Amino acid sequence: MSDAVIAIARPAVSALEVKSMQLSQTALSASVHELQTLIMSFHPAIVIETVEEERVQTLLHEATQDMKMQLLEWSLTQGLARSHGVTSHDPFGTSENRWVDECAPPSAHKPAAFEDTTEPLKALKQMQDISFKAVFLLKDFARHLEDAEVARQFREVLQLFAQSRSAIVLTGDPIKLPPEILHDVVYFDLKLPGRDELHQVVADVIRSLRVKNRVSIELQDADVPALVQALTGMTLKQARQVIAYAALEDGKLTLQDVGRILQRKAQVIREGGVLEYFPASDAPVDLGGFNGLKQWLAQARVGFSPQAKALNLKPPKGILIVGIQGCGKSLAAKAIARAWKMPLLKLDTSRLYDKYVGESEKNFRQAIALAESMAPTILWIDEIEKAMGGSTSSDADGGLSRRLFGSFLTWMQEKSQEIFVVATANDLSQLPPELLRKGRFDELFFVDLPNEAERTTILQIHLARHRQAPQQFDLAALVQAIDGFSGAEIEQAVIAALYRALYLQKPLDTAILLETIKATIPLSVSRREDLQKLRAIAEERFVNVR
């Protein structure tokens, strides 16, 4: 292809792309420097546990080029070969590099591999015979170390590399290593892409879309931060895919596509781990009562302001809400996110535990890493006693609850990101005493059964939600009848009464509601002793949400 044709295919570089390239280089530099330090300090094996293989390749290319070292790659299908570089990411195959590659001869696409190196053992022996310093990227290699002969050869290669400053980089997910190899490796924490890298992804996709004229780009430079914020918590590949999908679905890329991206993001997070994602929303939350909590939150919100930062004040860490089931603790977590216009991440404790040793701790670390990448955000840990309450009991779970609890306390103490933790609990007796100490959370709140005014508000909310006019009922009689009911029990009473009215083919009235209420036994009756004990403890240690 002539130079003239290449010039036509080359898109104009916008201000967005220039800024993105600058930010991308800044984001890469810290990780590249850390990798270079590990290699130069005689670490013969580096483990990068990730699914983002392309990011690892990019980092290693940057690191080895600057160090003037060779980079070789191995996979079970291709064998051992010199790495030929990573072209810029382009989902439509329209970048300058891709254009040139398509016009190159077939041999230019794939570097020649060392002969007969697809087998792990032969590849290791070839690496041992290479005389020059190099970095070897081994893809999905860890599983082959279960073979005793391969593991032995691997250790011999590491002994040699520890003297020569060559290094092996193991990548894949998950990576499980034999005990005899663990002490020879060092782990490199490849965090989720930051805003700088995601900014570059947005620029890459926009450039590709512009070249082919496939969609109309109606996104202004000022809109990019909102789009980048919506992409936080995703891998680079997921980010590229979701932007391309949003643009191609209706033939244009606009600020309104942020909503589509957030929907896909919620699905990705739910499928990929132990978190559930609720995007920031302006929609109101019907939360009856809780005036004390609302007032505290209004004051705490200033901790995220620039004025607080100017005074070297750290943002608030979080709150613990303890109370009776069905009294609005979970709704309070959602209300905080709505009031502060922050995204909400819910940690699903039932999905946190795994039968394999070490996997539960890994799940917790990944959840925390995801929350940190999306900061500022709110992390909601529902029924925290189920995940960490076992630390006060026996070692029936092998000490797992204690380890998770220790990791959580350490993270709470040291976290620097703007993550506000909302922990809720039903069973106070299962909570470790260390969690209740002042300073762990900014405040400890107790949610009691709703009082008369709150019962009135809650009843009106649920009647109106089901298209019933509250003024048509004897609210005074109903509020008196539901004394001792939790918010959830009030809601269920309204729903059950509506079903009863439909069965009787009559409109819902006060009589049907009273009949349903009288047939209900609330927790305040069935668990009276537990409630009294909880109230006695709460009076001494907790602040009432009212």
Side-chain angles (χ1 to χ4, degrees), residues 7 11 49 65 88 101 138 198 208 272 283 338 349 373 381 402 406 416 419 448 454 495 505 525 540-541:
E49 193 170 30
Q65 284 180 4
S88 61
D101 283 348
L138 307 187
L198 293 171
S208 301
R338 297 280 176 88
T349 55
S373 72
I381 307 178
R402 185 179 292 109
S416 57
I419 302 174
D448 204 342
E454 291 168 344
I495 292 173
Q505 298 183 353
V525 174
E540 299 177 357
R541 304 183 185 181

Side-chain angles (χ1 to χ4, degrees), residues 95-165:
S95 72
E96 176 185 344
N97 287 339
R98 183 69 60 82
W99 186 289
V100 174
D101 283 348
E102 288 176 352
C103 300
S107 60
H109 291 281
K110 179 180 172 183
F114 288 90
E115 186 178 354
D116 197 21
T117 55
T118 55
E119 294 182 15
L121 187 60
K122 292 181 179 179
L124 289 171
K125 290 180 178 179
Q126 179 65 61
M127 291 162 55
Q128 197 172 26
D129 292 337
I130 291 176
S131 58
F132 52 83
K133 288 194 300 183
V135 174
F136 300 85
L137 173 60
L138 307 187
K139 305 172 183 177
D140 304 319
F141 193 86
R143 67 191 66 180
H144 303 292
L145 294 172
E146 296 175 2
D147 182 280
E149 189 175 3
V150 173
R152 180 65 259 175
Q153 184 66 48
F154 185 82
R155 295 183 67 188
E156 291 179 2
V157 172
L158 295 190
Q159 291 172 10
L160 177 64
F161 284 4
Q163 305 297 323
S164 66
R165 278 198 179 138

Side-chain angles (χ1 to χ4, degrees), residues 175-416:
I175 294 179
K176 299 183 184 299
L177 298 175
E180 65 271 17
I181 291 175
L182 281 174
H183 73 281
D184 287 324
V185 306
V186 62
Y187 281 78
F188 178 83
D189 184 17
L190 183 65
K191 298 183 183 298
L192 284 166
R195 285 168 176 76
D196 294 346
E197 290 178 274
L198 293 171
H199 202 283
Q200 176 64 44
V201 168
V202 173
D204 286 342
V205 176
I206 288 177
R207 179 178 57 184
S208 301
L209 293 169
R210 280 176 176 158
V211 168
K212 280 294 185 181
N213 254 351
R214 294 196 176 191
V215 299
S216 172
I217 305 297
E218 301 176 15
L219 196 70
Q220 304 300 318
D221 285 357
D223 300 331
V224 173
L227 184 60
V228 170
Q229 176 63 34
L231 295 170
T232 56
M234 292 185 176
T235 65
L236 293 183
K237 184 177 182 180
Q238 290 169 341
R240 290 195 299 272
Q241 290 172 337
V242 76
I243 298 172
Y245 177 82
L248 292 173
E249 187 179 32
D250 58 0
K252 58 185 178 180
L253 185 63
T254 69
L255 186 60
Q256 282 66 44
D257 285 318
V258 169
R260 292 190 182 93
I261 291 172
L262 289 174
Q263 290 177 357
R264 175 56 185 157
K265 177 178 177 175
Q267 182 180 355
V268 167
I269 291 175
R270 184 172 56 252
E271 293 173 351
V274 298
L275 291 172
E276 188 174 357
Y277 174 71
F278 302 89
S281 173
D282 294 326
V285 175
D286 295 327
L287 184 63
F290 287 59
N291 293 327
L293 175 61
K294 292 175 181 176
Q295 183 178 359
W296 186 92
L297 291 170
Q299 180 175 317
R301 187 177 182 180
V302 303
F304 295 98
S305 66
Q307 294 84 351
K309 292 180 181 178
L311 297 173
N312 291 327
L313 292 175
K314 294 182 179 180
K317 293 185 291 186
I319 58 176
L320 173 65
I321 307 177
V322 177
I324 304 162
Q325 295 180 19
C327 286
K329 298 186 297 299
S330 299
L331 191 60
K334 297 178 181 179
I336 295 170
R338 297 280 176 88
W340 288 3
K341 295 181 174 56
M342 287 186 182
L344 177 67
L345 287 168
K346 178 184 177 183
L347 179 63
D348 188 345
T349 55
S350 64
R351 297 173 63 187
L352 186 62
Y353 284 84
D354 193 282
K355 64 181 179 179
Y356 297 107
V357 175
E359 287 300 306
S360 299
E361 294 94 327
K362 178 184 174 183
N363 289 339
F364 179 75
R365 289 194 302 270
Q366 289 179 338
I368 294 301
L370 180 57
E372 290 176 341
S373 72
M374 295 173 59
T377 188
I378 293 174
L379 178 62
W380 169 25
I381 307 178
D382 195 23
E383 297 184 339
I384 190 173
E385 72 273 24
K386 290 186 177 180
M388 303 172 193
S391 61
T392 60
S393 60
S394 65
D395 290 331
D397 62 358
L400 176 57
S401 297
R402 185 179 292 109
R403 294 194 299 273
L404 287 176
F405 177 63
S407 298
F408 174 72
L409 289 186
T410 301
W411 174 74
M412 281 284 289
Q413 188 70 28
E414 298 179 355
K415 71 181 178 73
S416 57

Side-chain angles (χ1 to χ4, degrees), residues 12-78:
V13 179
S14 67
L16 168 63
E17 291 165 344
V18 171
K19 180 180 179 183
S20 297
M21 286 186 284
Q22 294 171 344
L23 290 173
S24 181
Q25 289 301 316
T26 301
L28 279 173
S29 60
S31 296
V32 167
H33 177 72
E34 185 177 351
L35 274 173
Q36 290 175 333
T37 303
L38 290 173
I39 294 169
M40 296 303 294
S41 56
F42 299 96
H43 287 87
I46 302 169
V47 175
I48 306 180
E49 193 170 30
T50 179
V51 296
E52 297 191 87
E53 198 171 90
E54 291 181 7
R55 275 185 81 201
V56 175
Q57 288 177 290
T58 300
L59 285 173
L60 290 177
H61 274 284
E62 292 285 336
T64 52
Q65 284 180 4
D66 189 47
M67 298 169 67
K68 296 183 172 25
M69 294 178 67
Q70 292 287 339
L71 176 62
L72 293 90
E73 300 179 7
W74 178 90
S75 70
L76 188 62
T77 55
Q78 303 296 329

Side-chain angles (χ1 to χ4, degrees), residues 477-478 480-483 485 489 493 496-497 510-522 525:
L478 291 171
Q480 184 65 30
I482 57 177
D483 187 14
F485 277 53
E489 289 167 339
T510 301
I512 295 175
L513 257 173
L514 286 173
E515 181 183 350
T516 305
I517 291 168
K518 291 178 181 178
T520 304
I521 301 177
V525 174

